[in-house]
Structure formats: C-alpha cells, structure tokens
Amino acid sequence: AEQDTLINSTVAIAGVGGDGFQLGYKLAMKGVGEIRVADPEAFEPENSNRVLAATTPHVGRNKAEVFKEMVEALPASPKVTIYDDGVISENVEEFLYGADLYLDESELLKPEIGTLLARTALKQETPGLLVMNIGFAGIATSLRGGDFEKIMGIPKDMPLDEVAEMKVDLSRCVPYIPPYGDYRTLLATQGGAPLPTISEGVDMASGLGSTEAFLHLTHGIGNNRKEPTWAPRYRFMDAYTNKSGVIR
C-alpha cells in the first residue's frame, strides 16, 4: 500500500543544487511517481564537494536538466518535469498544482522565493518541507499555513519585492548550531561569504528529509507510521556529535 501510494505521488522541489538534488534522487529511488524540479542555476566546480552530479561533464549545465537526465537513467524512473527559470510568479501555481508535497530548497538568503512558494501552497493546501544541512548535521521541519513566514520573521502580506530586501534572522530558522560550529560564520554569509557545506551534512539532510517526505506521502493510509515533524519543531541529526532529536 505504501509503494502504491508513492507511485501515485507528486513532489515539487525548488532547488536541486545540494540537499535538493540528493533528496529528489532518493525519492526517485524510493518510487515516487512524479517529480518536478525548479532551478535556474548551473553546476559549478565548488558544488563537487557535496553533489554527486557535479562532475566535470556537468559543470556549466543547468542543475534541473542534469537532475532529469540522471533520474531518467534509473531502471524505474518517475516522470520528471523541469522549470529551468526557477520558481517565479509566472510558473509557481503550475509548479505546485496537484503536488502532494513541496520541498523548499531555495537559498535562505533569498526569502522571497520561499515566501512565494508558501503563499501559493497555502492557497492550494499543499504541505511543505524545509531541509537544511549544517556541518555534519541535517535539519528538517514541515510547513503548513503561514509557518514559513513565521519562522523567517516575515510580516504577513509584505510585498515580495520588500521581502527580497530583508535580512533573514538566521537565529530564527537555524535552530541547531553544532558545538564545533560558529554562528558568526552563518552571519558572514549575509555579507556574501560562501556557506560552508560538506557532503556528510548533505547526506544527513537528504536522509532525514527523504524520511520526512515518506511520512508525508504515506500518511493516512492506515500504516501506523509516525507523524511528520511540523514547525516550529525541527528534527536534527549530527553524524559528528552523535546527537539527534527534536527541538524548537
């Protein structure tokens, strides 16, 4: 029954440059029947420390196109639709229409994308999933209603162009800072510094996130699985410290 449910599920993923690529590929291997991916960016050499697809032949190519190509090479592949313009106001309704779940893997430094997704998902009654990596750890929380804007501290109904000018308060939306990490490093990314990301963190995030996605997609078929983890609660797992749990 779970497998039949997955085969008939549709997942929309905004951003396949790191966590999103690994998440989508895991969901394809798990048997999800339709995956939509949106990403306007191309792979660059610096992606190769965390994304299996960032090989020399793929550098310079659109991430969504590479995702489609690799997933369709699986023996039993889902239907894959790509939006190489990314998530924009002109395509967001089509991108989310009929989806059972959306994954917001857009950059936290571009809150207007997440806000556009969340507001459209609210109208379409589509639940969301926010998955992040930090250090050797993965973090995940599920979204409904106005959760995204509450987490990010975005005033309700603020115009998207004003949201784009906001500086996100990272202390609100990144609840777990590893003891070997430094909050100042995260703050530096708001000034243009690169976000330090490693493959172990992406692997933890994609494993945790794909499990939460599974709970979403198979919920309600009488299989006695646990509920997804809804905001403001987050699940986290750290491969380095061996810490895991649920935090707010």
Side-chain angles (χ1 to χ4, degrees):
E2 289 178 337
Q3 200 67 64
D4 286 341
T5 300
L6 292 174
I7 289 169
N8 290 294
S9 295
T10 299
V11 176
I13 307 174
V16 285
D19 296 339
F21 198 104
Q22 307 283 76
L23 279 161
Y25 200 82
K26 281 182 170 60
L27 292 175
M29 291 191 293
K30 199 180 294 290
V32 170
E34 181 178 353
I35 300 177
R36 302 170 191 162
V37 293
D39 202 314
E41 298 180 350
F43 278 118
E44 299 177 2
E46 54 263 38
N47 297 128
S48 63
N49 77 327
R50 60 190 179 276
V51 188
L52 294 173
T55 57
T56 299
H58 293 155
V59 169
R61 291 188 57 194
N62 175 266
K63 295 173 182 177
E65 290 180 0
V66 172
F67 178 88
K68 178 180 173 71
E69 184 178 287
M70 289 186 61
V71 166
E72 289 184 340
L74 290 170
S77 67
K79 175 185 177 182
V80 181
T81 304
I82 64 172
Y83 295 77
D84 54 14
D85 289 332
V87 174
I88 54 178
S89 56
E90 289 78 10
N91 68 19
V92 66
E93 293 201 8
E94 176 185 291
F95 177 66
L96 291 179
Y97 182 76
D100 299 286
L101 178 70
Y102 81 91
L103 278 67
D104 180 5
E105 293 303 315
S106 60
E107 296 179 26
L108 289 181
L109 300 182
K110 296 181 179 178
E112 69 277 11
I113 299 175
T115 303
L116 176 61
L117 282 165
R119 290 175 179 176
T120 307
L122 176 60
K123 291 189 291 185
Q124 298 191 9
E125 299 183 341
T126 308
L129 182 59
L130 180 64
V131 182
M132 299 175 282
N133 68 85
I134 181 166
F136 293 84
I139 312 171
T141 190
S142 297
L143 308 170
R144 53 189 167 192
D147 284 344
F148 180 83
E149 287 157 286
K150 290 177 184 176
I151 288 173
M152 298 295 173
I154 298 169
K156 187 180 179 182
D157 299 326
M158 174 181 274
L160 289 177
D161 57 342
E162 294 182 23
V163 174
E165 298 298 319
M166 285 186 63
K167 271 195 173 183
V168 173
D169 181 354
L170 296 173
S171 67
R172 295 178 62 100
C173 54
V174 185
Y176 174 72
I177 304 293
Y180 52 82
D182 190 336
Y183 182 62
R184 291 173 297 177
T185 302
L186 284 181
L187 291 179
T189 64
Q190 294 185 324
L195 180 67
T197 304
I198 56 175
S199 61
E200 294 90 339
V202 172
D203 287 341
M204 293 298 290
S206 62
L208 184 61
S210 58
T211 301
E212 287 286 307
F214 167 79
L215 295 176
H216 273 283
L217 299 175
T218 62
H219 178 67
I221 63 171
N223 54 355
N224 296 316
R225 298 285 189 184
K226 64 186 291 183
E227 280 265 347
T229 307
W230 293 99
R233 298 163 67 244
Y234 289 73
R235 281 182 71 190
F236 77 99
M237 290 186 175
D238 192 324
Y240 183 85
T241 63
N242 202 31
K243 289 183 178 179
S244 64
V246 177
I247 54 179
R248 293 175 69 90

